[in-house]
Amino acid sequence: MRPPARPRPTRTTSGRATSGRSAATAPTGTPSVAAGVPTGTRGTKGGSRGPATGTTKAAPKTAPKTAPTAAPAEAARSRPRTTATAVVPAGQEVPPRVSTAMADRLAERTAMRRHRAWRRVLAWVLSLVVVAGLAWVALWSPVLALEKAEVSVAGAGRYVDEARVREIVEAPDGTPLPRLDTVAMREQVLGLRGVKDVRIARAWPHGLAVELTSRVPVAAVPDGDRLALLDSSGVRVATRDAAPKGLPQVDVPLDDALALQAALHVLAALPARLAGQVDHVSADTQDAVETVLEDGTTVRWGGSSDLPLKVEAVRTLRKLDDGARTIDVSSPELPVTR
């Protein structure tokens, strides 16, 4: 590299040569030439021309001061990352960059919501169709219709008209079982004479199961020229011209409800073996019930209270005294035989 040229001295008005140091210089470390009139020019005064007699010394060459550099690896790490940018010609506007990712995401979300809404609507429609179909099958189609051959009646006994019961429960033949009004049907059956209780159950898919609880008469009470058969509650079970075998006759008018009820309670409390030996019952009042057995023994029961204790006393006394013709247990703690 060639050294910079030394500045030439210039002549001043006083004739002295000045060096280039008095002129403006470049920054430190940069060679510069003193500002002045070049050699061979006219002076300001005297108009004489003369060669330059002196020279200026060049500024000492110095190295530029720089900051200490980091290690290559540290410099690479500390260097900021830059991205490549497109060069846009001068005077041309840079087109704005718009991202479509958010719009695409919103469109996808809207489509998914619409899809779920349609699926929900389709599920509701299918559910309604299924429910409507099941309702039609259960309530109007003949799939579950009642058939007479599938109706069963049990427990009619001797005093319930089974034909009348069947007529009531078989009336809605052909009606689907879920639409049967079993409550109203039960009320009609309970209105029949001799029926104490009834249970009506659907026997799927086409039948009915009817279970009757019949009333059992415990006495025959005169009713004009005929006999009314009454159960232990005083309900008329049937009407007969003569008392059935084994059924005692109560000589109490039907209009004397208290005395009649006391006599019926006594008969209902007797064990089957002893009740079968009763021939007839009488009761002047509700506290003076008497029974006459087939062998002629008279048992005075008094009222209808403490009947279990009175029954046990009668059975014990009959075993101890076979020849007693009258047994009075109106006071069961102090029974009397004669």
Side-chain angles (χ1 to χ4, degrees):
M1 181 177 181
R2 296 178 60 184
R6 295 180 180 181
R8 294 181 181 183
T10 60
R11 179 81 57 181
T12 63
T13 57
S14 63
R16 292 183 181 182
T18 62
S19 65
R21 289 182 182 180
S22 61
T25 60
T28 304
T30 305
S32 62
V33 179
V37 180
T39 304
T41 61
R42 293 180 181 270
T44 57
K45 291 183 180 181
S48 63
R49 300 173 62 182
T53 60
T55 60
T56 61
K57 293 182 180 181
K61 186 177 181 181
T62 61
K65 295 181 180 181
T66 58
T69 58
E74 296 179 359
R77 288 194 297 270
S78 62
R79 185 181 300 117
R81 296 182 180 179
T82 59
T83 56
T85 58
V87 178
V88 180
Q92 184 177 353
E93 294 183 359
V94 179
R97 294 186 177 182
V98 180
S99 176
T100 60
M102 181 59 70
D104 295 341
R105 180 60 179 167
L106 291 176
E108 181 181 359
R109 185 176 298 177
T110 303
M112 289 298 296
R113 288 178 179 174
R114 187 180 298 111
H115 179 66
R116 285 195 296 267
W118 277 109
R119 288 181 59 185
R120 197 174 295 116
V121 171
L122 181 59
W124 275 103
V125 171
L126 291 178
S127 300
L128 290 176
V129 170
V130 171
V131 171
L134 293 177
W136 180 82
V137 170
L139 301 177
W140 286 279
S141 74
V143 175
L144 300 176
L146 176 65
E147 296 180 3
K148 291 182 178 181
E150 299 295 329
V151 176
S152 63
V153 178
R158 295 174 54 187
Y159 301 100
V160 177
D161 189 354
E162 183 176 345
R164 179 61 181 142
V165 174
R166 284 190 170 275
E167 182 180 348
I168 293 174
V169 298
E170 293 177 359
D173 182 38
T175 303
L177 295 185
R179 291 174 54 194
L180 290 180
D181 188 357
T182 55
V183 175
M185 193 180 299
R186 181 175 181 274
E187 294 296 329
Q188 294 183 43
V189 175
L190 286 175
L192 298 178
R193 178 172 294 180
V195 178
K196 186 176 183 179
D197 195 9
V198 61
R199 178 179 176 272
I200 301 176
R202 295 175 178 84
W204 304 96
H206 303 290
L208 282 177
V210 182
E211 296 182 7
L212 299 170
T213 301
S214 301
R215 295 185 180 275
V216 178
V218 295
V221 181
D223 183 17
D225 296 336
R226 309 187 71 185
L227 294 175
L229 306 185
L230 306 182
D231 67 353
S232 59
S233 300
V235 178
R236 185 190 293 258
V237 176
T239 302
R240 297 288 187 269
D241 295 329
K245 184 178 181 180
L247 191 66
Q249 181 174 336
V250 178
D251 298 327
V252 178
L254 287 173
D255 55 358
D256 191 352
L258 295 178
L260 179 61
Q261 193 67 43
L264 295 176
H265 283 173
V266 170
L267 289 174
L270 297 180
R273 183 175 180 180
L274 184 58
Q277 300 177 11
V278 176
D279 184 63
H280 65 273
V281 182
S282 63
D284 296 334
T285 64
Q286 59 181 350
D287 295 323
V289 179
E290 294 184 359
T291 59
V292 178
L293 304 181
E294 293 178 345
D295 59 1
T297 303
T298 300
V299 180
R300 296 176 180 174
W301 300 91
S304 58
S305 60
D306 298 328
L307 284 177
L309 182 58
K310 292 178 180 180
V311 169
E312 190 63 29
V314 170
R315 296 175 62 180
T316 303
L317 292 175
R318 284 175 60 84
K319 291 180 180 179
L320 295 177
D321 189 359
D322 295 338
R325 308 309 300 170
T326 302
I327 301 175
D328 189 348
V329 291
S330 55
S331 298
E333 293 84 1
L334 298 172
V336 177
T337 60
R338 287 193 291 271

